[in-house]
Coordinates of all heavy atoms in Angstrom, one line a residue:
M27 N 97.8 88.1 123.1 CA 97.8 87.6 121.8 C 99.3 87.0 121.5 O 100.2 87.6 121.9 CB 97.5 88.6 120.7 CG 97.4 88.3 119.3 SD 97.0 89.7 118.2 CE 95.2 89.8 118.7
E28 N 99.3 85.9 120.9 CA 100.5 85.2 120.7 C 100.8 85.2 119.2 O 99.9 84.8 118.4 CB 100.6 83.7 121.2 CG 101.9 83.1 121.1 CD 101.9 81.8 121.9 OE1 101.3 80.8 121.4 OE2 102.6 81.7 122.9
I29 N 102.0 85.6 118.8 CA 102.4 85.7 117.4 C 103.6 84.7 117.1 O 104.7 84.8 117.9 CB 102.8 87.1 117.0 CG1 101.6 88.0 117.3 CG2 103.1 87.1 115.6 CD1 101.9 89.4 117.2
L30 N 103.5 83.7 116.3 CA 104.5 82.9 115.9 C 105.4 83.4 114.9 O 104.8 84.0 113.9 CB 103.9 81.5 115.5 CG 103.0 80.9 116.6 CD1 102.4 79.6 116.2 CD2 103.7 80.6 118.0
L31 N 106.7 83.2 114.9 CA 107.5 83.8 113.8 C 108.3 82.7 113.2 O 108.9 81.7 113.8 CB 108.5 84.8 114.6 CG 107.7 86.0 115.2 CD1 108.4 86.4 116.5 CD2 107.5 87.1 114.2
F32 N 108.6 82.8 111.9 CA 109.3 81.8 111.1 C 110.5 82.4 110.3 O 110.3 83.7 109.9 CB 108.4 81.0 110.3 CG 107.3 80.3 111.0 CD1 106.1 80.8 111.3 CD2 107.7 78.9 111.6 CE1 105.2 80.1 112.0 CE2 106.7 78.3 112.4 CZ 105.4 78.8 112.6
G33 N 111.5 81.7 109.9 CA 112.5 82.2 109.1 C 113.2 83.5 109.5 O 113.5 83.6 110.7
I34 N 113.3 84.4 108.6 CA 114.0 85.7 108.9 C 113.2 86.5 109.9 O 113.9 87.3 110.6 CB 114.4 86.5 107.7 CG1 115.3 87.5 108.0 CG2 113.1 87.0 107.0 CD1 116.0 88.2 106.7
A35 N 111.9 86.3 110.0 CA 111.1 87.0 111.0 C 111.6 86.6 112.4 O 111.6 87.5 113.2 CB 109.5 86.7 110.7
K36 N 111.8 85.4 112.6 CA 112.4 84.9 113.8 C 113.7 85.6 114.1 O 114.1 85.9 115.2 CB 112.4 83.4 113.8 CG 113.1 82.8 115.0 CD 113.1 81.3 114.8 CE 113.8 80.6 115.9 NZ 114.0 79.2 115.9
D37 N 114.5 85.6 113.1 CA 115.9 86.2 113.2 C 115.8 87.7 113.5 O 116.5 88.2 114.4 CB 116.7 86.0 112.0 CG 117.0 84.6 111.6 OD1 116.9 83.7 112.6 OD2 117.3 84.3 110.5
I38 N 114.8 88.5 113.0 CA 114.7 89.9 113.2 C 114.3 90.1 114.7 O 114.8 91.0 115.3 CB 113.6 90.4 112.3 CG1 114.1 90.5 110.9 CG2 113.2 91.9 112.7 CD1 113.2 90.9 109.8
V39 N 113.3 89.3 115.1 CA 112.8 89.5 116.5 C 113.7 88.8 117.5 O 113.7 89.4 118.7 CB 111.4 88.9 116.6 CG1 110.9 88.9 118.1 CG2 110.4 89.7 115.6
G40 N 114.5 87.8 117.1 CA 115.4 87.2 118.1 C 114.6 86.1 118.9 O 115.3 85.6 120.0
Q41 N 113.5 85.7 118.6 CA 112.8 84.6 119.3 C 111.7 84.0 118.3 O 111.3 84.7 117.3 CB 112.2 85.0 120.6 CG 111.4 86.2 120.6 CD 111.1 86.9 121.9 OE1 112.1 87.0 122.7 NE2 109.9 87.2 122.2
S42 N 111.2 82.9 118.7 CA 110.2 82.3 117.7 C 108.8 82.7 118.0 O 107.9 82.3 117.2 CB 110.3 80.7 117.8 OG 110.0 80.3 119.1
E43 N 108.6 83.4 119.1 CA 107.1 83.9 119.4 C 107.2 85.1 120.3 O 108.2 85.3 121.0 CB 106.3 82.8 120.0 CG 106.9 82.2 121.3 CD 105.9 81.1 121.9 OE1 105.9 80.1 121.1 OE2 105.3 81.2 122.9
I44 N 106.2 85.9 120.2 CA 106.1 87.0 121.1 C 104.7 87.2 121.5 O 103.7 86.6 120.8 CB 106.5 88.4 120.3 CG1 105.7 88.7 119.1 CG2 108.0 88.5 120.1 CD1 105.9 90.0 118.5
R45 N 104.5 87.7 122.7 CA 103.1 87.7 123.2 C 102.9 89.3 123.5 O 103.6 90.0 124.0 CB 103.1 87.0 124.6 CG 101.7 87.1 125.2 CD 101.5 86.2 126.4 NE 101.5 84.8 126.0 CZ 100.4 84.1 125.4 NH1 99.4 84.9 125.3 NH2 100.4 82.9 125.2
I46 N 101.7 89.6 122.9 CA 101.2 90.9 123.1 C 100.1 91.0 124.2 O 99.1 90.3 124.0 CB 100.6 91.5 121.7 CG1 101.6 91.4 120.6 CG2 100.1 93.0 121.9 CD1 102.9 92.1 120.7
S47 N 100.4 91.8 125.3 CA 99.4 91.6 126.4 C 98.8 93.0 126.6 O 97.8 93.2 127.3 CB 100.0 91.0 127.6 OG 101.3 91.6 128.0
S48 N 99.5 94.0 126.2 CA 99.1 95.4 126.6 C 98.1 95.9 125.6 O 98.2 95.7 124.3 CB 100.4 96.3 126.5 OG 100.0 97.7 126.6
D49 N 97.1 96.6 126.1 CA 96.2 97.2 125.2 C 96.8 98.3 124.4 O 96.4 98.7 123.2 CB 95.0 97.8 126.0 CG 94.1 96.7 126.5 OD1 94.1 95.6 125.9 OD2 93.3 97.0 127.4
D50 N 97.8 98.9 125.0 CA 98.6 99.9 124.1 C 99.2 99.3 122.8 O 99.3 100.2 121.8 CB 99.8 100.5 124.9 CG 99.3 101.2 126.2 OD1 98.2 101.6 126.2 OD2 100.1 101.3 127.1
D51 N 99.5 98.1 122.8 CA 100.1 97.4 121.6 C 99.0 96.6 120.8 O 99.3 96.0 119.9 CB 101.1 96.5 122.0 CG 102.3 97.2 122.5 OD1 102.6 98.3 122.1 OD2 103.1 96.7 123.3
A52 N 97.7 96.8 121.2 CA 96.6 96.1 120.5 C 96.4 96.6 119.1 O 96.7 97.7 118.7 CB 95.3 96.2 121.3
F53 N 96.0 95.6 118.3 CA 95.7 95.9 116.8 C 94.5 95.1 116.5 O 94.3 94.0 117.1 CB 96.9 95.6 115.9 CG 97.9 94.4 116.4 CD1 97.4 93.2 116.2 CD2 99.0 94.8 117.1 CE1 98.3 92.1 116.6 CE2 99.8 93.7 117.6 CZ 99.4 92.4 117.3
H54 N 93.8 95.4 115.5 CA 92.5 94.8 115.2 C 92.4 94.3 113.8 O 91.3 93.6 113.5 CB 91.5 95.8 115.5 CG 91.5 96.4 116.9 ND1 91.1 95.7 118.0 CD2 91.9 97.6 117.3 CE1 91.3 96.4 119.1 NE2 91.8 97.7 118.7
S55 N 93.4 94.3 113.1 CA 93.5 93.8 111.7 C 94.8 93.4 111.4 O 95.8 93.8 111.9 CB 92.9 94.9 110.7 OG 93.9 95.9 110.5
V56 N 95.0 92.5 110.3 CA 96.2 92.1 109.8 C 97.1 93.3 109.4 O 98.3 93.4 109.7 CB 96.0 91.2 108.7 CG1 97.3 90.8 107.9 CG2 95.4 89.8 109.2
Q57 N 96.4 94.3 108.8 CA 97.2 95.5 108.4 C 97.8 96.2 109.6 O 98.9 96.6 109.6 CB 96.3 96.4 107.6 CG 97.0 97.7 107.2 CD 98.2 97.5 106.1 OE1 98.0 96.7 105.4 NE2 99.2 98.2 106.4
E58 N 97.0 96.3 110.7 CA 97.5 96.9 111.9 C 98.6 96.1 112.5 O 99.5 96.7 113.1 CB 96.4 97.2 112.9 CG 95.4 98.2 112.5 CD 94.3 98.5 113.6 OE1 94.4 98.0 114.6 OE2 93.4 99.1 113.2
L59 N 98.6 94.8 112.4 CA 99.6 94.0 113.0 C 100.8 94.2 112.1 O 102.0 94.5 112.7 CB 99.2 92.5 112.8 CG 100.3 91.5 113.0 CD1 100.9 91.6 114.4 CD2 99.9 90.1 112.6
K60 N 100.7 94.3 110.8 CA 102.0 94.5 110.0 C 102.6 95.8 110.3 O 103.8 96.0 110.4 CB 101.6 94.6 108.5 CG 101.2 93.1 108.0 CD 101.0 93.1 106.6 CE 100.8 91.8 106.0 NZ 100.5 91.8 104.5
E61 N 101.8 96.9 110.4 CA 102.3 98.2 110.8 C 103.0 98.1 112.3 O 104.0 98.8 112.4 CB 101.2 99.3 110.8 CG 100.6 99.5 109.4 CD 99.3 100.3 109.4 OE1 98.8 100.5 110.4 OE2 98.8 100.4 108.2
F62 N 102.3 97.5 113.1 CA 103.0 97.3 114.5 C 104.4 96.7 114.4 O 105.3 97.1 115.0 CB 102.0 96.5 115.4 CG 102.6 96.0 116.5 CD1 102.8 96.8 117.7 CD2 103.1 94.8 116.7 CE1 103.3 96.4 119.0 CE2 103.8 94.4 117.9 CZ 103.8 95.1 119.1
M63 N 104.5 95.6 113.6 CA 105.7 94.9 113.5 C 106.8 95.8 112.9 O 108.0 95.7 113.4 CB 105.5 93.6 112.7 CG 104.6 92.6 113.3 SD 105.2 92.1 115.0 CE 106.6 91.1 114.6
V64 N 106.5 96.6 111.9 CA 107.5 97.5 111.3 C 107.9 98.6 112.3 O 109.0 98.9 112.3 CB 106.9 98.0 110.0 CG1 107.8 99.1 109.5 CG2 106.7 96.9 109.0
R65 N 106.9 99.1 113.1 CA 107.3 100.0 114.1 C 108.1 99.5 115.1 O 109.2 100.1 115.6 CB 106.0 100.6 114.8 CG 105.3 101.9 114.0 CD 104.3 102.5 114.8 NE 103.5 101.6 115.7 CZ 102.3 101.1 115.3 NH1 101.9 101.2 114.0 NH2 101.7 100.3 116.1
K66 N 107.8 98.3 115.7 CA 108.4 97.8 116.9 C 109.8 97.1 116.4 O 110.8 97.2 117.1 CB 107.6 96.7 117.4 CG 108.2 96.1 118.6 CD 107.1 95.6 119.7 CE 107.7 95.0 120.9 NZ 107.8 95.9 122.0
F67 N 109.9 96.5 115.1 CA 111.1 95.9 114.6 C 111.3 96.5 113.3 O 110.8 95.9 112.3 CB 110.8 94.4 114.6 CG 110.5 93.8 115.9 CD1 109.1 93.5 116.2 CD2 111.4 93.5 116.9 CE1 108.7 92.8 117.3 CE2 111.1 93.0 118.1 CZ 109.7 92.6 118.3
P68 N 112.0 97.6 113.1 CA 112.2 98.2 111.9 C 112.8 97.4 110.7 O 112.5 97.7 109.5 CB 113.1 99.5 112.2 CG 112.9 99.7 113.7 CD 112.6 98.4 114.3
E69 N 113.5 96.4 111.1 CA 114.0 95.5 110.0 C 112.9 94.8 109.2 O 113.1 94.4 108.0 CB 114.8 94.4 110.6 CG 116.2 94.9 111.2 CD 117.2 95.4 110.1 OE1 117.4 94.6 109.0 OE2 117.6 96.5 110.2
F70 N 111.7 94.8 109.7 CA 110.6 94.2 108.8 C 110.3 95.1 107.8 O 109.8 94.6 106.6 CB 109.3 94.0 109.8 CG 109.2 92.7 110.5 CD1 109.6 92.6 111.8 CD2 108.6 91.7 109.8 CE1 109.5 91.4 112.4 CE2 108.6 90.5 110.5 CZ 109.0 90.3 111.8
G71 N 110.6 96.4 107.9 CA 110.4 97.3 106.7 C 111.3 97.0 105.6 O 111.0 97.5 104.4
K72 N 112.3 96.3 105.8 CA 113.4 96.0 104.7 C 112.9 94.8 103.9 O 113.4 94.5 102.8 CB 114.7 95.8 105.3 CG 115.3 97.1 105.9 CD 116.7 96.9 106.4 CE 117.1 98.1 107.0 NZ 118.5 98.0 107.6
L73 N 112.0 94.1 104.4 CA 111.4 92.8 103.7 C 110.6 93.3 102.6 O 109.8 94.2 102.6 CB 110.6 91.9 104.6 CG 111.4 91.3 105.8 CD1 110.3 90.5 106.7 CD2 112.5 90.5 105.4
S74 N 110.7 92.5 101.4 CA 109.8 92.8 100.3 C 108.4 92.6 100.5 O 107.4 93.3 100.1 CB 110.2 92.0 99.0 OG 110.1 90.8 99.3
S75 N 108.1 91.7 101.5 CA 106.8 91.4 101.9 C 106.9 90.3 103.1 O 107.9 89.7 103.1 CB 105.8 90.9 100.7 OG 106.3 89.6 100.3
F76 N 105.7 90.2 103.7 CA 105.6 89.0 104.6 C 104.2 88.8 104.7 O 103.4 89.6 104.7 CB 106.3 89.2 106.0 CG 105.9 90.4 106.7 CD1 104.9 90.2 107.8 CD2 106.5 91.7 106.6 CE1 104.4 91.2 108.5 CE2 106.0 92.7 107.4 CZ 104.9 92.5 108.4
A77 N 103.9 87.4 104.8 CA 102.5 86.9 104.9 C 102.1 86.7 106.4 O 103.0 86.5 107.2 CB 102.3 85.6 104.2
V78 N 100.8 86.9 106.7 CA 100.3 86.6 108.0 C 99.2 85.5 107.8 O 98.3 85.6 107.0 CB 99.7 88.0 108.5 CG1 99.1 87.5 109.8 CG2 100.7 88.9 108.7
A79 N 99.3 84.5 108.7 CA 98.3 83.4 108.7 C 97.6 83.7 110.0 O 98.1 83.9 111.1 CB 98.9 82.0 108.7
V80 N 96.2 83.6 110.0 CA 95.4 83.7 111.1 C 94.6 82.3 111.3 O 93.9 81.9 110.2 CB 94.4 84.9 111.1 CG1 93.5 84.8 112.3 CG2 95.2 86.2 110.8
N81 N 94.8 81.7 112.3 CA 94.1 80.3 112.5 C 94.4 79.4 111.4 O 93.5 78.7 110.8 CB 92.7 80.5 112.8 CG 92.5 81.4 114.0 OD1 93.2 81.3 115.0 ND2 91.5 82.2 113.9
S82 N 95.7 79.4 111.1 CA 96.3 78.4 110.0 C 95.8 78.7 108.6 O 95.9 77.8 107.8 CB 95.9 76.9 110.4 OG 96.4 76.6 111.6
E83 N 95.4 79.9 108.3 CA 95.0 80.2 106.9 C 95.6 81.7 106.6 O 95.5 82.6 107.5 CB 93.4 80.4 106.8 CG 92.7 79.0 106.9 CD 91.3 79.1 106.6 OE1 90.9 80.0 105.8 OE2 90.5 78.2 107.0
Y84 N 96.1 81.6 105.4 CA 96.7 83.0 105.0 C 95.6 84.0 105.0 O 94.4 83.8 104.6 CB 97.3 82.9 103.6 CG 98.7 82.1 103.6 CD1 98.8 80.9 103.1 CD2 99.8 82.8 104.0 CE1 100.0 80.2 103.1 CE2 101.0 82.1 104.0 CZ 101.1 80.9 103.6 OH 102.3 80.3 103.6
A85 N 95.9 85.2 105.5 CA 95.0 86.3 105.7 C 95.3 87.6 104.9 O 96.5 88.0 104.9 CB 94.8 86.6 107.2
Q86 N 94.4 88.2 104.4 CA 94.5 89.5 103.8 C 94.6 90.7 104.8 O 94.2 90.4 105.9 CB 93.3 89.7 102.7 CG 93.2 88.8 101.6 CD 94.4 88.8 100.7 OE1 94.9 89.8 100.4 NE2 94.9 87.6 100.2
D87 N 95.0 91.8 104.4 CA 95.2 92.8 105.3 C 93.9 93.3 106.1 O 94.0 93.8 107.1 CB 95.8 94.1 104.6 CG 97.3 93.9 104.2 OD1 97.8 93.0 104.6 OD2 97.8 94.7 103.4
D88 N 92.8 93.1 105.4 CA 91.5 93.5 106.1 C 90.9 92.6 107.0 O 89.8 92.8 107.6 CB 90.5 93.9 105.0 CG 90.1 92.8 104.1 OD1 90.8 91.8 104.2 OD2 89.1 93.0 103.4
V89 N 91.6 91.4 107.2 CA 91.0 90.4 108.2 C 91.0 90.8 109.6 O 92.2 91.2 110.0 CB 91.7 89.0 107.9 CG1 91.3 88.1 109.0 CG2 91.5 88.5 106.6
P90 N 90.0 90.8 110.3 CA 90.0 91.3 111.7 C 90.7 90.2 112.5 O 90.8 89.1 112.3 CB 88.5 91.4 112.1 CG 87.8 90.5 111.1 CD 88.6 90.5 109.8
L91 N 91.3 90.8 113.7 CA 92.0 89.9 114.6 C 91.4 89.9 115.9 O 90.8 90.9 116.3 CB 93.5 90.3 114.7 CG 94.4 90.3 113.5 CD1 95.7 90.9 113.7 CD2 94.5 88.9 113.0
N92 N 91.3 88.7 116.6 CA 90.9 88.6 117.9 C 91.9 88.2 118.9 O 92.9 87.5 118.4 CB 89.7 87.6 118.0 CG 88.5 88.1 117.0 OD1 88.0 89.2 117.2 ND2 88.2 87.3 116.0
R93 N 91.8 88.4 120.2 CA 92.8 88.1 121.1 C 93.1 86.6 121.1 O 94.3 86.1 121.5 CB 92.5 88.5 122.6 CG 92.6 90.0 122.7 CD 92.5 90.2 124.1 NE 92.9 91.7 124.4 CZ 94.1 92.2 124.4 NH1 95.1 91.5 124.3 NH2 94.1 93.5 124.7
N94 N 92.2 85.7 120.8 CA 92.4 84.2 120.9 C 92.9 83.7 119.5 O 93.1 82.5 119.5 CB 91.1 83.6 121.3 CG 90.8 83.9 122.7 OD1 91.6 84.2 123.6 ND2 89.5 84.1 123.0
D95 N 93.1 84.5 118.5 CA 93.5 83.9 117.2 C 95.0 83.4 117.3 O 95.8 83.9 118.1 CB 93.5 85.0 116.1 CG 92.1 85.3 115.8 OD1 91.1 84.5 115.9 OD2 91.8 86.5 115.2
E96 N 95.3 82.4 116.6 CA 96.6 81.9 116.3 C 97.2 82.7 115.2 O 96.6 82.5 114.1 CB 96.7 80.4 116.2 CG 98.0 79.9 115.9 CD 98.1 78.4 115.6 OE1 97.7 78.1 114.5 OE2 98.4 77.6 116.4
I97 N 98.2 83.4 115.4 CA 98.9 84.3 114.4 C 100.2 83.9 114.1 O 101.0 83.6 115.0 CB 98.7 85.8 114.8 CG1 97.4 86.2 115.0 CG2 99.4 86.6 113.8 CD1 97.2 87.5 115.7
A98 N 100.6 83.8 112.8 CA 101.9 83.4 112.3 C 102.4 84.4 111.2 O 101.5 84.8 110.4 CB 101.9 82.0 111.7
I99 N 103.6 84.8 111.5 CA 104.2 85.6 110.5 C 105.3 84.9 109.7 O 106.1 84.2 110.2 CB 104.9 86.9 111.1 CG1 103.9 87.7 111.8 CG2 105.7 87.6 110.1 CD1 104.4 89.0 112.5
I100 N 105.0 84.9 108.3 CA 105.7 84.0 107.4 C 106.4 84.9 106.4 O 105.7 85.5 105.5 CB 104.9 83.0 106.7 CG1 104.0 82.2 107.7 CG2 105.6 82.1 105.9 CD1 102.7 81.6 107.3
P101 N 107.8 85.1 106.5 CA 108.5 85.8 105.5 C 108.6 85.2 104.2 O 108.3 84.0 103.9 CB 109.9 85.9 106.2 CG 110.0 84.7 106.9 CD 108.6 84.3 107.4
P102 N 109.0 86.1 103.1 CA 109.1 85.3 101.8 C 110.2 84.4 101.8 O 111.2 84.4 102.6 CB 109.6 86.6 101.0 CG 110.1 87.7 101.9 CD 109.4 87.4 103.2
V103 N 110.1 83.3 101.0 CA 111.0 82.2 101.1 C 111.7 82.1 99.7 O 110.9 82.2 98.7 CB 110.3 80.9 101.4 CG1 111.3 79.7 101.4 CG2 109.6 80.9 102.8
S104 N 113.0 81.9 99.6 CA 113.6 81.6 98.3 C 114.3 80.3 98.4 O 114.6 79.8 99.4 CB 114.6 82.8 98.1 OG 115.6 82.8 98.9
G105 N 114.5 79.8 97.2 CA 115.2 78.5 97.1 C 115.8 78.3 95.8 O 115.6 79.2 94.9
G106 N 116.5 77.2 95.6 CA 117.1 77.0 94.4 C 117.2 75.6 93.9 O 116.5 74.7 94.4

C-alpha cells in the first residue's frame, strides 16, 4: 500500500511517500491508518487533525481500505 504525504505530514515522515508492505503494519480502515501513523510517527499526534483521501476523495474514519487504494494524507492548512 502506498501513502502519499503532503505539507507538514511530509516533513514529519521525512519523505513524500511511504510503502506499507508488511501484514504486521496492515490496516483496514481510515481510522486504523490514522492510529498507525500516530504510533509510527508520534509527531502526527501533535496535529490538530489531518485528512485522508482515498482514491482522490476525502474519506471518513469508517471507510475501508484495500491494498490497491491510492491514499493521501493531507494535514491542516493555514493561510493569510
Side-chain angles (χ1 to χ4, degrees):
M27 181 177 289
E28 187 172 69
I29 303 168
L30 306 176
L31 303 146
F32 298 93
I34 195 165
K36 177 181 170 183
D37 295 339
I38 290 170
V39 174
Q41 54 197 44
S42 61
E43 60 186 61
I44 57 175
R45 181 167 289 282
I46 306 299
S47 56
S48 168
D49 286 338
D50 294 336
D51 291 331
F53 31 81
H54 305 286
S55 70
V56 169
Q57 180 64 40
E58 288 180 13
L59 166 64
K60 287 180 175 180
E61 292 166 359
F62 167 82
M63 294 303 291
V64 171
R65 275 193 320 272
K66 187 151 178 99
F67 305 99
E69 290 293 312
F70 271 97
K72 296 179 182 179
L73 297 178
S74 59
S75 67
F76 59 92
V78 174
V80 178
N81 299 322
S82 301
E83 293 190 22
Y84 284 105
Q86 298 296 321
D87 287 349
D88 61 347
V89 169
L91 297 176
N92 298 302
R93 286 199 175 273
N94 296 329
D95 287 336
E96 178 186 77
I97 299 170
I99 295 181
I100 305 159
V103 179
S104 64

